[in-house]
Amino acid sequence: MIIAGIVLKRIVRAKRIIALGLLPALGLLVGILSLRGATDVRAAYAGFTRGLLIPIIIALGAFVIGSSAVTDEREDLTILYLAQTPVSRLRIVVETWLAAFAATLMLVAVPTVLAVMLAGRAEVSMAGKADLVLAVVLSTAAYTALAVALGFFTRRAMLFGLAYVLLWESIVASFASSAGNFSVSSHARVVLARSLDVLTRYEVKPPDTGVVTSLVVLVAIVAVALALAGRRLQRMNLP
Amino acid sequence: MSIVVEGVSRTFGDTVAVSQVSFRVGPGITGLLGHNGAGKSTLLSLLAGYARPDEGTVRVLDADPHRDIAIHSRLGVVPDGMGLWPQLTAREAVVALARMRGVADPHAAAAAALAEVGLTEAADRRLGQFSKGMGQRAKLAQALAHDPAVLLLDEPLNGLDPAQRRHMIDVVRRRAAAGCTVLVSSHVLHEVERMAPQVVVLVNGRVVAEGETVGIKALLRDRPQTVRVRTAGDARPLAAALTADPATREVRVGDGTVEVDTSDPEALGRTVARAASAAGTTLRAIEPVDDDLESLYAYLTARARGAQ
């Protein structure tokens, strides 16, 4: 875990971490306000977690942290020092992802999820909270894996990542059911729908894939993204 | 041979960085001399395994450094320009890389390497706070900590003051004396001369000369050169006297100056003093006109093509 440690230190000491702190703060504010003012707390809770928390707050945090974890190494050329070791290229990718995943969980997901859970605690069952944790952990893993992989394919990973989050994950896949099979947030919604089957006005029904399938899809996204990134790093000419 | 480069070419878009380069390097220090943009860094990045050649083969300790990553436990590289992680201390960075390279006791190895480059006192400071010279020494420490059999140093003396340069050269010499193969690039001839008994000269991506550094130096010293002599008054009597010198090829007279194209600059130096005395001319300065690297490399290039 040497590489993960180095990357994690770089992430938490970067100046952008201050801007990133706004994400959970925004999430907390919107979440608490929507839950406090709601007549149906359960529906508001489901709407917030499925419509804002996962496809926007966590996705944005994951892409900012995940893509910069790679592009910072590439731009500063410190990746050359990692390439000067007998460590497999796949391990370099996996440890970079682990650092980005841990940082996104710590800095974005955990504070937001805890606050939202506390705000909606009276109306949401333990099963609902467990599903929320599962969906958040898996979608954070998938988004950070996609972000890290993107970082090895392009130096503009953050730009492409933010476009993907804002256009596809938060708009197209949330409101067009046919696109749901190809988005992280839709499969996270399947996991959440198990215990929070209340749909808000603007939500479409989650893909009819079944919880197990969606869990497998989310794990597969992580595995495929990291494998592709490892292959890319092995073949690419540095810097 | 520890390093074998055979028929290597590498292009970046329309730019040919190195073309049909071949050479072999054994234990000891070998200089890779060339002007900026000659292809030295490209060649070292191919040897470090960062990139693959478009043509030809690169072998380090009988392995392909791009594909056989296990070789990196026996290879140390100091890249030009790029520093280590600024958020880490020098000790943290050197320990981390030593551990990744399979060193049994990375803390002891890092401490020894940092002491070797003179960074013991600064070892626990963050690299982001280091001066360029300190950063350069930290880079060398990470390349030494795993006791490599081959060291690739890209312009290692950049950013160092004279004392640090001497120290760096001593460290490299000690490693070479212990059996390490060192390939060190530089665009400064006298730096290579101080460090390396063997040299490979690159010009515009091609090897134009290789062999013992003293031989290359002699070759450069004996090449035709232009020397400018500044005088206190009329330079014509001196110019007339110099025309008679057998090594003189052409003489041009200006306002208080004489420019002489000569095939023997050292002999000209002796002749000028005598001729000035005989002509009653006071000398102000004698200076080479084209004693810069570009003209040296141009000469070697022309010579490699058989033009001289």
Side-chain angles (χ1 to χ4, degrees):
Chain A
M1 290 299 187
I2 306 165
I3 299 168
I6 292 172
V7 177
L8 193 56
K9 265 191 179 174
R10 168 167 239 156
I11 292 171
V12 298
R13 288 186 181 163
K15 284 178 184 159
R16 69 174 74 87
I17 212 74
I18 299 164
L20 262 179
L22 294 174
L23 267 178
L26 175 75
L28 287 175
L29 189 68
V30 174
I32 290 167
L33 286 178
S34 60
L35 289 171
R36 285 206 169 161
T39 48
D40 184 347
V41 173
R42 202 158 156 263
Y45 182 88
F48 173 76
T49 53
R50 291 195 295 243
L52 188 69
L53 178 63
I54 291 176
I56 295 180
I57 293 174
I58 287 176
L60 283 177
F63 269 92
V64 170
I65 292 172
S67 60
S68 59
V70 181
T71 51
D72 284 354
E73 291 287 321
R74 289 184 67 185
E75 280 170 16
D76 290 354
L77 298 175
T78 42
I79 197 166
L80 293 184
Y81 293 99
L82 298 179
Q84 278 172 38
T85 62
V87 172
S88 82
R89 300 320 183 225
L90 182 60
R91 195 178 131 194
I92 293 174
V93 169
V94 169
E95 289 205 29
T96 303
W97 165 70
L98 279 172
F101 175 48
T104 311
L105 278 181
M106 279 188 312
L107 299 169
V108 181
V110 169
T112 319
V113 167
L114 275 178
V116 170
M117 273 186 176
L118 287 172
R121 66 185 183 279
E123 302 289 332
V124 181
S125 65
M126 276 308 290
K129 288 172 183 167
D131 284 346
L132 175 61
V133 170
L134 184 63
V136 163
V137 168
L138 285 177
S139 54
T140 303
Y143 283 132
T144 46
L146 289 172
V148 165
L150 201 56
F152 283 104
F153 282 91
T154 171
R155 288 179 190 273
R156 294 181 179 173
M158 196 181 296
L159 185 70
F160 289 125
L162 295 182
Y164 162 76
V165 168
L166 296 174
L167 296 176
W168 185 262
E169 288 288 333
S170 63
I171 298 176
V172 179
S174 292
F175 302 113
S177 57
S178 57
N181 289 326
F182 305 101
S183 93
V184 171
S185 62
S186 294
H187 287 288
R189 284 165 61 215
V190 173
V191 177
L192 286 170
R194 185 163 66 167
S195 49
L196 288 170
D197 54 357
V198 189
L199 292 180
T200 60
R201 269 171 63 192
Y202 304 105
E203 274 188 289
V204 294
K205 195 172 177 296
D208 195 17
T209 53
V211 174
V212 174
T213 307
S214 283
L215 291 176
V216 170
V217 168
L218 290 171
V219 173
I221 288 171
V222 175
V224 171
L226 297 183
L228 286 174
R231 190 179 155 87
R232 164 78 178 158
L233 180 58
Q234 199 164 16
R235 294 179 169 216
M236 74 196 292
N237 290 316
L238 295 169
Chain B
M1 284 287 168
S2 311
I3 295 173
V4 178
V5 177
E6 279 182 356
V8 164
S9 298
R10 180 89 173 101
T11 56
F12 296 99
D14 294 334
T15 308
V16 179
V18 288
S19 174
Q20 291 298 313
V21 169
S22 299
F23 62 87
R24 287 162 181 255
V25 175
I29 309 176
T30 299
L32 187 60
L33 182 68
H35 58 88
N36 289 329
K40 305 185 298 295
S41 293
T42 300
L43 208 47
L44 287 179
S45 76
L46 297 174
L47 288 166
Y50 301 150
R52 284 170 297 183
D54 298 327
E55 274 180 43
T57 55
V58 168
R59 309 286 293 175
V60 176
L61 297 170
D62 231 7
D64 175 345
H66 187 81
R67 204 185 55 212
D68 307 327
I69 57 171
I71 195 64
H72 291 289
S73 58
R74 301 174 65 203
L75 174 63
V77 185
V78 175
D80 183 29
M82 63 244 20
L84 289 155
W85 298 275
Q87 74 275 19
L88 300 186
T89 66
R91 190 188 307 281
E92 286 172 338
V94 178
V95 167
L97 287 165
R99 186 172 281 148
M100 281 189 252
R101 289 167 184 149
V103 175
D105 187 348
H107 288 279
L114 288 163
E116 192 172 355
V117 300
L119 279 180
T120 300
E121 286 184 9
D124 296 309
R125 275 172 57 189
R126 282 211 196 131
L127 287 156
Q129 301 167 345
F130 272 24
S131 66
K132 192 173 179 191
M134 290 168 79
Q136 200 73 342
R137 286 187 281 159
K139 281 159 60 181
L140 182 62
Q142 65 79 29
L144 298 177
H146 56 297
D147 198 15
V150 172
L151 258 179
L152 305 174
L153 311 175
D154 196 357
E155 304 272 4
L157 304 182
N158 275 358
L160 300 184
D161 63 34
Q164 291 170 340
R165 282 172 185 240
R166 275 196 301 277
H167 184 73
M168 177 81 91
I169 291 169
D170 287 345
V171 170
V172 172
R173 278 186 182 150
R174 275 200 301 273
R175 289 289 176 149
C180 185
T181 297
V182 183
L183 183 62
V184 54
S185 84
S186 177
H187 62 280
V188 183
L189 178 61
H190 69 84
E191 276 184 7
V192 170
E193 193 188 359
R194 283 174 68 193
M195 259 192 285
Q198 298 288 323
V199 68
V200 175
V201 186
L202 271 182
V203 176
N204 296 332
R206 289 178 180 272
V207 174
V208 293
E210 63 177 303
E212 291 186 359
T213 310
V214 287
I216 301 288
K217 187 83 194 307
L219 197 66
L220 296 175
R221 192 180 56 230
D222 295 342
R223 76 197 160 97
Q225 279 186 49
T226 301
V227 175
R228 184 182 294 126
V229 183
R230 295 186 189 280
T231 62
D234 187 5
R236 279 175 296 186
L238 178 63
L242 289 176
T243 309
D245 190 273
T248 300
R249 293 183 171 184
E250 193 178 331
V251 176
R252 293 176 293 278
V253 187
D255 184 17
T257 63
V258 183
E259 277 191 5
V260 186
D261 293 346
T262 175
S263 57
D264 190 346
E266 284 201 1
L268 178 72
R270 293 189 293 271
T271 307
V272 164
R274 279 200 307 272
S277 174
T281 308
T282 304
L283 294 178
R284 282 198 167 154
I286 302 174
E287 56 199 15
V289 172
D290 54 357
D291 194 20
D292 56 274
L293 276 173
E294 275 187 29
S295 68
L296 296 183
Y297 294 138
Y299 168 67
L300 285 173
T301 309
R303 190 177 168 279
R305 288 180 186 145
Q308 292 188 42

PDB file of all heavy atoms in Angstrom, chain B residues 2 9 30 33 41 68 79 110 112 115 142 159 171 181 191 213 218 229 243 279 286 289-290 298 302:
ATOM      1  N   SER B   2      26.669  -3.940 -20.032  1.00  0.00           N
ATOM      2  CA  SER B   2      25.480  -3.664 -19.203  1.00  0.00           C
ATOM      3  C   SER B   2      24.384  -2.974 -20.007  1.00  0.00           C
ATOM      4  O   SER B   2      23.202  -3.163 -19.754  1.00  0.00           O
ATOM      5  CB  SER B   2      25.863  -2.754 -18.038  1.00  0.00           C
ATOM      6  OG  SER B   2      27.000  -3.243 -17.391  1.00  0.00           O
ATOM      7  N   SER B   9      15.706   4.053 -33.109  1.00  0.00           N
ATOM      8  CA  SER B   9      15.124   5.304 -33.617  1.00  0.00           C
ATOM      9  C   SER B   9      13.866   5.595 -32.824  1.00  0.00           C
ATOM     10  O   SER B   9      13.159   4.686 -32.397  1.00  0.00           O
ATOM     11  CB  SER B   9      14.749   5.178 -35.094  1.00  0.00           C
ATOM     12  OG  SER B   9      15.883   4.921 -35.867  1.00  0.00           O
ATOM     13  N   THR B  30      30.387   6.395 -18.362  1.00  0.00           N
ATOM     14  CA  THR B  30      30.387   6.816 -19.766  1.00  0.00           C
ATOM     15  C   THR B  30      29.548   8.082 -19.873  1.00  0.00           C
ATOM     16  O   THR B  30      28.440   8.142 -19.326  1.00  0.00           O
ATOM     17  CB  THR B  30      29.786   5.710 -20.665  1.00  0.00           C
ATOM     18  OG1 THR B  30      30.589   4.539 -20.534  1.00  0.00           O
ATOM     19  CG2 THR B  30      29.767   6.151 -22.134  1.00  0.00           C
ATOM     20  N   LEU B  33      27.233  12.919 -24.360  1.00  0.00           N
ATOM     21  CA  LEU B  33      27.415  14.348 -24.588  1.00  0.00           C
ATOM     22  C   LEU B  33      26.603  14.796 -25.791  1.00  0.00           C
ATOM     23  O   LEU B  33      26.576  14.123 -26.818  1.00  0.00           O
ATOM     24  CB  LEU B  33      28.903  14.613 -24.833  1.00  0.00           C
ATOM     25  CG  LEU B  33      29.354  16.052 -25.055  1.00  0.00           C
ATOM     26  CD1 LEU B  33      29.189  16.865 -23.785  1.00  0.00           C
ATOM     27  CD2 LEU B  33      30.821  16.076 -25.492  1.00  0.00           C
ATOM     28  N   SER B  41      18.042  12.947 -23.596  1.00  0.00           N
ATOM     29  CA  SER B  41      16.972  12.572 -22.655  1.00  0.00           C
ATOM     30  C   SER B  41      16.074  11.495 -23.253  1.00  0.00           C
ATOM     31  O   SER B  41      15.610  10.600 -22.534  1.00  0.00           O
ATOM     32  CB  SER B  41      16.141  13.807 -22.281  1.00  0.00           C
ATOM     33  OG  SER B  41      16.935  14.685 -21.532  1.00  0.00           O
ATOM     34  N   ASP B  68      10.377  -5.828 -19.156  1.00  0.00           N
ATOM     35  CA  ASP B  68      10.812  -6.648 -18.009  1.00  0.00           C
ATOM     36  C   ASP B  68      10.980  -5.732 -16.796  1.00  0.00           C
ATOM     37  O   ASP B  68      12.094  -5.287 -16.483  1.00  0.00           O
ATOM     38  CB  ASP B  68      12.137  -7.345 -18.325  1.00  0.00           C
ATOM     39  CG  ASP B  68      12.059  -8.120 -19.630  1.00  0.00           C
ATOM     40  OD1 ASP B  68      10.975  -8.628 -19.948  1.00  0.00           O
ATOM     41  OD2 ASP B  68      13.082  -8.203 -20.340  1.00  0.00           O
ATOM     42  N   PRO B  79      16.095  11.271 -13.453  1.00  0.00           N
ATOM     43  CA  PRO B  79      15.597  11.988 -14.627  1.00  0.00           C
ATOM     44  C   PRO B  79      15.894  13.482 -14.522  1.00  0.00           C
ATOM     45  O   PRO B  79      16.075  13.997 -13.423  1.00  0.00           O
ATOM     46  CB  PRO B  79      14.090  11.718 -14.611  1.00  0.00           C
ATOM     47  CG  PRO B  79      13.773  11.165 -13.272  1.00  0.00           C
ATOM     48  CD  PRO B  79      15.039  10.869 -12.541  1.00  0.00           C
ATOM     49  N   ALA B 110      17.877   3.876   2.935  1.00  0.00           N
ATOM     50  CA  ALA B 110      17.564   5.282   2.648  1.00  0.00           C
ATOM     51  C   ALA B 110      18.470   6.199   3.457  1.00  0.00           C
ATOM     52  O   ALA B 110      18.985   7.201   2.934  1.00  0.00           O
ATOM     53  CB  ALA B 110      16.093   5.563   2.967  1.00  0.00           C
ATOM     54  N   ALA B 112      21.453   5.573   4.527  1.00  0.00           N
ATOM     55  CA  ALA B 112      22.812   5.515   3.966  1.00  0.00           C
ATOM     56  C   ALA B 112      22.890   6.337   2.674  1.00  0.00           C
ATOM     57  O   ALA B 112      23.858   7.076   2.458  1.00  0.00           O
ATOM     58  CB  ALA B 112      23.193   4.057   3.700  1.00  0.00           C
ATOM     59  N   ALA B 115      22.776  10.010   3.423  1.00  0.00           N
ATOM     60  CA  ALA B 115      24.071  10.446   3.970  1.00  0.00           C
ATOM     61  C   ALA B 115      25.096  10.560   2.852  1.00  0.00           C
ATOM     62  O   ALA B 115      25.897  11.496   2.811  1.00  0.00           O
ATOM     63  CB  ALA B 115      24.536   9.445   5.025  1.00  0.00           C
ATOM     64  N   GLN B 142      17.518   8.519  -4.134  1.00  0.00           N
ATOM     65  CA  GLN B 142      16.552   7.461  -4.447  1.00  0.00           C
ATOM     66  C   GLN B 142      17.094   6.492  -5.492  1.00  0.00           C
ATOM     67  O   GLN B 142      16.735   5.327  -5.516  1.00  0.00           O
ATOM     68  CB  GLN B 142      15.189   8.040  -4.863  1.00  0.00           C
ATOM     69  CG  GLN B 142      15.150   8.853  -6.155  1.00  0.00           C
ATOM     70  CD  GLN B 142      15.125   8.011  -7.427  1.00  0.00           C
ATOM     71  OE1 GLN B 142      14.618   6.890  -7.417  1.00  0.00           O
ATOM     72  NE2 GLN B 142      15.679   8.551  -8.504  1.00  0.00           N
ATOM     73  N   GLY B 159      21.778  22.725 -11.534  1.00  0.00           N
ATOM     74  CA  GLY B 159      21.264  23.320 -10.295  1.00  0.00           C
ATOM     75  C   GLY B 159      22.187  23.165  -9.100  1.00  0.00           C
ATOM     76  O   GLY B 159      21.830  23.562  -7.998  1.00  0.00           O
ATOM     77  N   VAL B 171      30.612  11.016  -5.604  1.00  0.00           N
ATOM     78  CA  VAL B 171      29.666   9.922  -5.327  1.00  0.00           C
ATOM     79  C   VAL B 171      29.577   8.999  -6.540  1.00  0.00           C
ATOM     80  O   VAL B 171      29.659   7.766  -6.421  1.00  0.00           O
ATOM     81  CB  VAL B 171      28.259  10.493  -4.993  1.00  0.00           C
ATOM     82  CG1 VAL B 171      27.215   9.383  -4.953  1.00  0.00           C
ATOM     83  CG2 VAL B 171      28.295  11.229  -3.654  1.00  0.00           C
ATOM     84  N   THR B 181      27.739   0.402 -13.514  1.00  0.00           N
ATOM     85  CA  THR B 181      27.785   1.006 -14.847  1.00  0.00           C
ATOM     86  C   THR B 181      27.018   2.317 -14.794  1.00  0.00           C
ATOM     87  O   THR B 181      25.843   2.326 -14.415  1.00  0.00           O
ATOM     88  CB  THR B 181      27.124   0.071 -15.879  1.00  0.00           C
ATOM     89  OG1 THR B 181      27.878  -1.126 -15.944  1.00  0.00           O
ATOM     90  CG2 THR B 181      27.067   0.720 -17.256  1.00  0.00           C
ATOM     91  N   GLU B 191      32.287  19.026 -18.047  1.00  0.00           N
ATOM     92  CA  GLU B 191      31.646  18.223 -16.990  1.00  0.00           C
ATOM     93  C   GLU B 191      31.823  16.736 -17.289  1.00  0.00           C
ATOM     94  O   GLU B 191      32.191  15.951 -16.413  1.00  0.00           O
ATOM     95  CB  GLU B 191      30.142  18.533 -16.946  1.00  0.00           C
ATOM     96  CG  GLU B 191      29.797  19.744 -16.152  1.00  0.00           C
ATOM     97  CD  GLU B 191      28.293  19.954 -16.063  1.00  0.00           C
ATOM     98  OE1 GLU B 191      27.497  19.085 -16.511  1.00  0.00           O
ATOM     99  OE2 GLU B 191      27.908  20.998 -15.541  1.00  0.00           O
ATOM    100  N   THR B 213      37.317   9.850 -23.719  1.00  0.00           N
ATOM    101  CA  THR B 213      37.035  11.284 -23.635  1.00  0.00           C
ATOM    102  C   THR B 213      38.266  12.106 -24.038  1.00  0.00           C
ATOM    103  O   THR B 213      38.136  13.112 -24.723  1.00  0.00           O
ATOM    104  CB  THR B 213      36.597  11.656 -22.203  1.00  0.00           C
ATOM    105  OG1 THR B 213      35.569  10.743 -21.819  1.00  0.00           O
ATOM    106  CG2 THR B 213      36.056  13.065 -22.136  1.00  0.00           C
ATOM    107  N   ALA B 218      40.936  15.731 -27.761  1.00  0.00           N
ATOM    108  CA  ALA B 218      42.052  16.046 -28.655  1.00  0.00           C
ATOM    109  C   ALA B 218      41.537  16.340 -30.062  1.00  0.00           C
ATOM    110  O   ALA B 218      41.998  17.259 -30.737  1.00  0.00           O
ATOM    111  CB  ALA B 218      43.031  14.878 -28.683  1.00  0.00           C
ATOM    112  N   VAL B 229      42.150  38.147 -32.657  1.00  0.00           N
ATOM    113  CA  VAL B 229      43.208  38.822 -31.902  1.00  0.00           C
ATOM    114  C   VAL B 229      42.874  40.310 -31.873  1.00  0.00           C
ATOM    115  O   VAL B 229      42.652  40.921 -32.924  1.00  0.00           O
ATOM    116  CB  VAL B 229      44.590  38.605 -32.571  1.00  0.00           C
ATOM    117  CG1 VAL B 229      45.694  39.258 -31.726  1.00  0.00           C
ATOM    118  CG2 VAL B 229      44.868  37.116 -32.765  1.00  0.00           C
ATOM    119  N   THR B 243      50.078  35.835 -41.671  1.00  0.00           N
ATOM    120  CA  THR B 243      49.813  35.195 -42.962  1.00  0.00           C
ATOM    121  C   THR B 243      50.924  34.198 -43.296  1.00  0.00           C
ATOM    122  O   THR B 243      50.679  33.181 -43.950  1.00  0.00           O
ATOM    123  CB  THR B 243      49.733  36.277 -44.073  1.00  0.00           C
ATOM    124  OG1 THR B 243      48.829  37.275 -43.646  1.00  0.00           O
ATOM    125  CG2 THR B 243      49.262  35.707 -45.388  1.00  0.00           C
ATOM    126  N   ALA B 279      56.249  42.862 -34.903  1.00  0.00           N
ATOM    127  CA  ALA B 279      55.562  43.929 -35.628  1.00  0.00           C
ATOM    128  C   ALA B 279      55.351  45.169 -34.771  1.00  0.00           C
ATOM    129  O   ALA B 279      54.821  46.178 -35.250  1.00  0.00           O
ATOM    130  CB  ALA B 279      54.198  43.417 -36.127  1.00  0.00           C
ATOM    131  N   ILE B 286      43.253  37.597 -26.991  1.00  0.00           N
ATOM    132  CA  ILE B 286      43.203  36.511 -27.991  1.00  0.00           C
ATOM    133  C   ILE B 286      42.034  35.624 -27.577  1.00  0.00           C
ATOM    134  O   ILE B 286      42.014  35.125 -26.450  1.00  0.00           O
ATOM    135  CB  ILE B 286      44.506  35.682 -28.000  1.00  0.00           C
ATOM    136  CG1 ILE B 286      45.704  36.595 -28.277  1.00  0.00           C
ATOM    137  CG2 ILE B 286      44.427  34.574 -29.038  1.00  0.00           C
ATOM    138  CD1 ILE B 286      47.050  35.884 -28.151  1.00  0.00           C
ATOM    139  N   VAL B 289      36.710  32.337 -31.638  1.00  0.00           N
ATOM    140  CA  VAL B 289      35.424  32.852 -32.118  1.00  0.00           C
ATOM    141  C   VAL B 289      34.349  31.777 -32.066  1.00  0.00           C
ATOM    142  O   VAL B 289      33.200  32.038 -31.735  1.00  0.00           O
ATOM    143  CB  VAL B 289      35.571  33.384 -33.563  1.00  0.00           C
ATOM    144  CG1 VAL B 289      34.215  33.756 -34.157  1.00  0.00           C
ATOM    145  CG2 VAL B 289      36.492  34.590 -33.561  1.00  0.00           C
ATOM    146  N   ASP B 290      34.720  30.543 -32.368  1.00  0.00           N
ATOM    147  CA  ASP B 290      33.705  29.482 -32.507  1.00  0.00           C
ATOM    148  C   ASP B 290      33.959  28.337 -31.535  1.00  0.00           C
ATOM    149  O   ASP B 290      33.754  27.196 -31.847  1.00  0.00           O
ATOM    150  CB  ASP B 290      33.678  28.955 -33.942  1.00  0.00           C
ATOM    151  CG  ASP B 290      35.068  28.504 -34.395  1.00  0.00           C
ATOM    152  OD1 ASP B 290      36.020  28.669 -33.612  1.00  0.00           O
ATOM    153  OD2 ASP B 290      35.177  27.999 -35.516  1.00  0.00           O
ATOM    154  N   ALA B 298      28.952  20.792 -34.729  1.00  0.00           N
ATOM    155  CA  ALA B 298      28.893  20.921 -36.189  1.00  0.00           C
ATOM    156  C   ALA B 298      30.134  20.284 -36.811  1.00  0.00           C
ATOM    157  O   ALA B 298      30.047  19.580 -37.819  1.00  0.00           O
ATOM    158  CB  ALA B 298      28.790  22.392 -36.570  1.00  0.00           C
ATOM    159  N   ALA B 302      30.100  17.057 -39.255  1.00  0.00           N
ATOM    160  CA  ALA B 302      30.718  17.095 -40.585  1.00  0.00           C
ATOM    161  C   ALA B 302      31.773  16.000 -40.711  1.00  0.00           C
ATOM    162  O   ALA B 302      31.877  15.318 -41.726  1.00  0.00           O
ATOM    163  CB  ALA B 302      31.342  18.467 -40.807  1.00  0.00           C
TER     164      ALA B 302
END
